[in-house]
Amino acid sequence: MAQRVSTASKKSTQVSARVIKNLHERMVRIRLFETEAGKLMEAGKLPGFLHLYVGQEAVAAGVMAALRDDDQITSTHRGHGHAVAKGVGFREMYAELYGRVTGACLGRGGSMHINDLTRGMLGANGIVGAGVPIAVGAAFAARYKGEDNVAVTFFGDGATNIGAWHEGANMAAILGLPVVFVCENNGYAEFTPQSGHMLLTDVADRAAAYGMPSVIVDGMDAAAVHRAAVEAVERARSGAGPMMIEAKTYRFFDHQGVKGLRHPYRSDEEVAQWKARDPIDLLEVRAVADGIATRAELDDVWQRTRDEIAEAIAYAEASPLPDPADLLLNVYSG
Amino acid sequence: MTTTTEAPALTPVAAPRKLSYVKAFNEGLAQAMREDENVFVAGEDVAGYGGVFRMFDNLLDEFGPRRMIDTPISEAALVGLGVGAAARGLRPVVDLMFMDFIGVCLDQIVNQAAKMKYMFGGALSVPLTITTASGAGLGAAAQHSQSLEAWLAHVPGLKVVMPSDAYTAKGLTVSAIRDDNPVVIMLNKVLLGSTSEVPEEIYGIPLGQAHTARHGSDVTVIALGRMVGEALAAAEELAAEGVEIEVIDPRSVQPLDTETMFASVRRTNRVLVVHEAVTFGGLGAEIAAQIQDSVFDYLDAPVLRIGAPFSPVPFSPVLENAYVPDRARIAQGCRRLLERS
């Protein structure tokens, strides 16, 4: 059974002030990227789908603050938060959402496929669970080459019902690879609640089937996620094999888009309860109370990020569209 | 892509070395592993056991467990391991044993390996090689006997090769491993023990370059994989009747060297396409369509296709023999084409 980490009594000072500020900035960057993207979608400016990450910021921030640039991650269809937290630039991300040739995928990928090899972002993925074995392969490559970087694979509760997840977990365990499995349990597989898609209460219990240690953390508490991630990443880096973190979190928007409540699959009360535990608010309140940052300092982060985002959106809108003559670019190498 | 020059040319020696198809594959793989430290092999029973078809014999002894990895029976994770490792600069060779098993891992092949370069804006390559055994003829029944090249050749980003003899088994294996794209090597199970002349040195056969296995003036037979040998046998039968057929072995079905085929059609004016896979929706349909698109005016008869009936591969040998196209059906097809005019 998974180890349960209670975070209620722990103060934010259990991680350093520097880390708290780092987590805060990563979360603010995700929040603003996502809320602005949502506005652009509502305004009809973006083609395709948009799966917003708002509410789950503590997970991406907490994990990514435990990683190095050369550590690899694989992400999900809800991948913007991971990309932002891993350091992918706003410009290429917005340009990709707009389908511009300056985008992260040259306009060939869109929201669900943002990647950046220079940041170890091995791709968001439109196929649920598919990134899990790929992260295992990235970890394999690290060990093969004698490098000490680790791979982190992010997935939701729903993804743990798919075969690739189980195969990847077992493969990582049996080969003893440096992989950290991070479950962002937001309680819903698209519109189906966890109780409707598995009989388990804790997804982390699935790790036991593969001989993998696991830990459950409050996914709205960035510091708690970070502590767990540091432990799992250090463990993997030391050669002790994979570990799983289940972060209990929540998706503030719908599965897709900004306002798509055609199907009343969750109550207003439930949404309100989780929003009352907004991960950024929680961190800010504690940071101020603990004397780590002043309100003005925190506000400055928001403002700087807003400015950066406005500039990136302007850049994306001014960027050229791909040339249809280049339609076949990069289908093959060579 | 009109040349059919092989690399290297077979040099005449007193006693040319013959090697079996499976040993030629094994030799090519071993040489590619010696050539590039980034090449490793992962699969079910590939290391300790040497592969169920002896494809990987002795490789564990030479390359050790770092580069020869036995994995759980987990095809999705196996191909995914290859995709992730390839994305990080290695050149994985992953073995799927029987081609029929690709259904288990088709997402990793089709949605991940094939599309990754494109969706990454070209920022990386996926130099992944997938080896597998295809084809009927061993009484292995419907779940261990299929030829599914049409599934894979339909997917942009993948390459698919079908060695027809030991020489091509080695050369295509080396080229597949050296290629920066995901390549599926469809080894034919019936051909595993067949022998042909194979140079000892490492050599590659260009992917996307067809080979004219026999020159002839009356009918062009385009044959895939094991059907090349059947077509050559049919050619001998027809030669006794005064009919000279030209046999083209595409070797690689994605990319497909249509120029060599078109040039042949311009000379013979009649075409038969033969493959072991079911006829419906098979590569014969694609090849026939491309020929009528490009060299219709040279045709004296409609393009004829021979393939398997629209049925799963049967078990009973009498049924299996009736299922797979053979030299007699190919010869009969050529006669039908010649009767048209």
Side-chain angles (χ1 to χ4, degrees):
Chain A
M1 289 292 122
Q3 178 196 350
R4 266 155 233 279
V5 176
S6 167
T7 53
S9 62
K10 294 185 179 175
K11 295 173 72 176
S12 58
T13 45
Q14 285 188 297
V15 294
S16 70
R18 184 183 57 80
V19 169
I20 290 291
K21 287 180 179 174
N22 182 312
L23 295 171
H24 178 253
E25 179 156 354
R26 286 180 206 254
M27 288 200 289
V28 169
R29 290 177 74 80
I30 298 169
R31 175 68 54 91
L32 287 174
F33 179 88
E34 291 288 71
T35 49
E36 291 307 307
K39 288 178 194 166
L40 295 171
M41 179 58 96
E42 271 192 282
K45 291 186 172 183
L46 304 181
F49 304 150
L50 193 70
H51 303 89
L52 294 175
Y53 190 75
V54 173
Q56 305 184 192
E57 292 92 344
V59 189
V63 173
M64 249 57 88
L67 297 179
R68 306 191 311 227
D69 274 0
D70 64 344
D71 290 326
Q72 310 292 313
I73 66 165
T74 65
S75 176
T76 71
H77 59 286
R78 198 175 306 288
H80 303 157
H82 305 136
V84 168
K86 195 72 172 71
V88 183
F90 287 149
R91 281 182 160 205
E92 52 264 44
M93 288 187 66
Y94 278 118
E96 191 59 38
L97 296 190
Y98 273 88
R100 304 297 164 128
V101 74
T102 51
C105 317
L106 313 187
R108 270 70 168 178
S111 164
M112 281 191 285
H113 305 293
I114 288 172
N115 60 75
D116 183 347
L117 290 176
T118 66
R119 295 287 178 175
M121 171 54 175
L122 264 181
N125 208 307
I127 308 293
V128 169
V132 174
I134 295 173
V136 174
F140 177 90
R143 191 173 69 180
Y144 190 93
K145 294 193 275 190
E147 296 167 353
D148 72 343
N149 55 306
V150 304
V152 179
T153 182
F154 290 89
F155 50 87
D157 44 310
T160 66
N161 290 321
I162 209 160
W165 187 89
H166 292 270
E167 291 194 14
N170 186 55
M171 188 78 83
I174 198 74
L175 296 178
L177 294 173
V179 188
V180 177
F181 287 71
V182 178
C183 179
E184 296 180 300
N185 185 352
N186 61 21
Y188 292 88
E190 291 200 4
F191 302 95
T192 300
Q194 186 182 338
S195 60
H197 71 76
M198 68 171 72
L199 293 181
L200 297 176
T201 303
D202 297 321
V203 178
D205 288 347
R206 292 197 151 159
Y210 304 106
M212 192 190 297
S214 62
V215 62
I216 298 168
V217 296
D218 177 358
M220 308 309 261
D221 180 342
V225 174
H226 181 68
R227 283 194 301 271
V230 167
E231 180 190 337
V233 168
E234 283 179 357
R235 188 177 185 283
R237 213 186 294 286
S238 74
M243 181 168 167
M244 178 168 168
I245 298 168
E246 178 187 1
K248 309 273 194 189
T249 184
Y250 202 73
R251 186 180 80 199
F252 287 3
F253 288 98
D254 261 351
H255 165 62
Q256 201 281 127
V258 177
K259 45 181 184 183
L261 287 166
R262 284 179 303 148
H263 174 50
Y265 62 99
R266 57 186 193 182
S267 68
D268 292 344
E269 292 74 23
E270 178 185 300
V271 176
Q273 278 171 12
W274 280 94
K275 282 187 173 172
R277 300 196 65 243
D278 183 310
I280 303 180
D281 289 348
L282 289 181
L283 188 108
E284 288 189 342
V285 167
R286 291 201 312 205
V288 172
D290 292 348
I292 289 170
T294 65
R295 185 67 246 173
E297 284 171 327
L298 298 174
D299 289 344
D300 185 54
V301 172
W302 287 89
Q303 193 51 51
R304 278 191 285 114
T305 308
R306 273 194 195 92
D307 294 345
E308 197 182 332
I309 280 178
E311 190 278 334
I313 291 172
Y315 168 83
E317 291 187 343
S319 287
L321 291 162
D323 183 348
D326 293 333
L327 198 65
L328 299 183
L329 187 70
N330 295 321
V331 176
Y332 287 99
S333 296
Chain B
M1 293 200 300
T2 54
T3 175
T4 57
T5 308
E6 295 172 356
L10 292 165
T11 46
V13 289
R17 186 186 71 139
K18 288 207 166 189
L19 211 57
S20 74
Y21 186 90
V22 68
K23 284 185 173 160
F25 164 83
N26 182 284
E27 184 173 273
L29 173 57
Q31 289 174 335
M33 291 180 82
R34 282 176 214 130
E35 176 180 81
D36 188 344
E37 165 76 15
N38 287 325
V39 180
F40 73 93
V41 179
E44 297 150 15
D45 291 319
V46 296
Y49 189 69
V52 293
F53 299 112
R54 322 309 308 165
M55 287 160 62
F56 306 99
D57 267 359
N58 303 319
L59 298 180
L60 179 63
D61 291 341
E62 178 175 354
F63 298 104
R66 173 171 172 262
R67 299 180 70 188
M68 293 298 302
I69 296 108
D70 279 327
T71 68
I73 299 175
S74 304
E75 282 82 5
L78 173 59
V79 178
L81 175 87
V83 174
R88 297 293 299 138
L90 301 185
R91 305 188 89 82
V93 176
V94 304
D95 181 56
L96 287 183
M97 207 182 290
F98 287 85
M99 182 170 214
D100 312 72
F101 304 164
I102 67 169
V104 181
C105 54
L106 211 50
D107 173 63
Q108 286 293 333
I109 299 174
V110 170
N111 282 320
Q112 311 303 328
K115 297 181 172 72
M116 201 168 191
K117 179 185 177 67
Y118 188 81
M119 296 204 307
F120 272 57
L124 55 62
S125 294
V126 183
L128 168 67
T129 300
I130 298 173
T131 57
T132 191
S134 68
L138 297 186
Q143 295 170 344
H144 288 74
S145 303
Q146 293 168 92
S147 298
L148 299 171
E149 65 273 11
W151 289 16
L152 301 176
H154 187 66
V155 179
L158 293 180
K159 292 186 177 181
V160 184
V161 302
M162 299 179 70
S164 58
D165 62 9
Y167 174 82
T168 50
K170 177 171 170 178
L172 291 171
T173 297
V174 170
S175 289
I177 293 169
R178 288 174 176 169
D179 198 277
D180 284 336
N181 298 283
V183 184
V184 179
I185 304 176
M186 293 173 57
L187 294 170
N188 185 283
K189 293 194 281 289
V190 165
L191 295 179
L192 291 171
S194 68
T195 60
S196 70
E197 197 178 332
V198 177
E200 289 186 28
E201 68 266 34
I202 187 169
Y203 62 92
I205 291 175
L207 307 185
Q209 187 170 299
H211 169 64
T212 304
R214 186 183 194 280
H215 292 276
S217 53
D218 298 323
V219 178
T220 297
V221 177
I222 299 163
L224 305 188
R226 175 186 161 193
M227 291 298 111
V228 175
E230 296 295 322
L232 290 171
E236 295 308 310
E237 187 178 324
L238 290 164
E241 300 169 19
V243 174
E244 292 299 327
I245 72 172
E246 183 150 295
V247 178
I248 293 182
D249 175 4
R251 292 180 168 171
S252 148
V253 296
Q254 184 59 262
L256 184 66
D257 175 7
T258 50
E259 287 306 319
T260 296
M261 298 173 196
F262 298 159
S264 178
V265 172
R266 290 188 196 101
R267 292 192 296 271
T268 65
N269 316 116
R270 292 175 182 82
V271 192
L272 169 67
V273 189
V274 52
H275 52 63
E276 200 181 324
V278 293
T279 308
F280 187 96
L283 279 169
E286 173 65 30
I287 292 169
Q290 291 216 29
I291 287 170
Q292 75 93 16
D293 273 356
S294 298
V295 286
F296 179 79
D297 293 339
Y298 291 88
L299 291 173
D300 287 342
V303 177
L304 190 64
R305 290 177 292 156
I306 292 179
F310 199 59
S311 151
V313 181
F315 165 67
S316 176
V318 65
L319 296 176
E320 192 180 36
N321 287 339
Y323 179 90
V324 180
D326 60 9
R327 60 200 68 185
R329 284 177 63 193
I330 295 168
Q332 192 53 35
C334 291
R335 291 187 194 103
R336 274 180 60 199
L337 282 169
L338 289 159
E339 283 164 9
R340 293 275 311 191
S341 53

